[in-house]
């Protein structure tokens, strides 16, 4: 199974494109979690279903984490 096949599991091509764009524009992990929730993509499955997007968001700050 590849990432494009998983994109088809979203309701429509428009949803798929919106999901990708939203993820690419996310500026924090809190935003990423919100996007995952909005599109009903379980956080635990995100990396397996969308590996390139998961790599893209890995370096984002986690605004919900307590300060170090």
């Amino acid at each position: 199974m590849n990432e494009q096949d998983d994109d088809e599991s979203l309701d429509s091509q428009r949803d798929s494109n919106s999901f990708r764009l939203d993820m690419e524009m996310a500026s924090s992990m809190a935003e990423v979690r919100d996007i995952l929730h909005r599109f009903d993509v379980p956080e635990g499955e995100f990396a397996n279903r969308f590996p390139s997007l998961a790599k893209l968001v890995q370096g984002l700050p986690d605004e919900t984490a307590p300060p170090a």
Side-chain angles (χ1 to χ4, degrees):
M1 180 177 349
N2 65 35
E3 192 167 342
Q4 187 165 349
D5 292 338
D6 288 321
D7 284 354
E8 297 306 319
S9 68
L10 295 173
D11 291 337
S12 69
Q13 187 63 32
R14 180 181 290 166
D15 285 347
S16 178
N17 291 340
S18 180
F19 177 77
R20 284 192 168 285
L21 182 61
D22 287 355
M23 283 300 200
E24 290 170 2
M25 306 255 328
S27 61
S28 70
M29 289 306 292
E31 242 181 284
V32 168
R33 286 185 198 98
D34 181 56
I35 295 164
L36 291 173
H37 178 73
R38 191 166 9 113
F39 285 93
D40 197 28
V41 176
E43 191 173 338
E45 295 178 22
F46 175 57
N48 290 330
R49 293 177 63 191
F50 304 97
S52 62
L53 288 175
K55 287 178 185 175
L56 179 72
V57 301
Q58 271 182 335
L60 293 176
D62 188 353
E63 295 173 346
T64 61

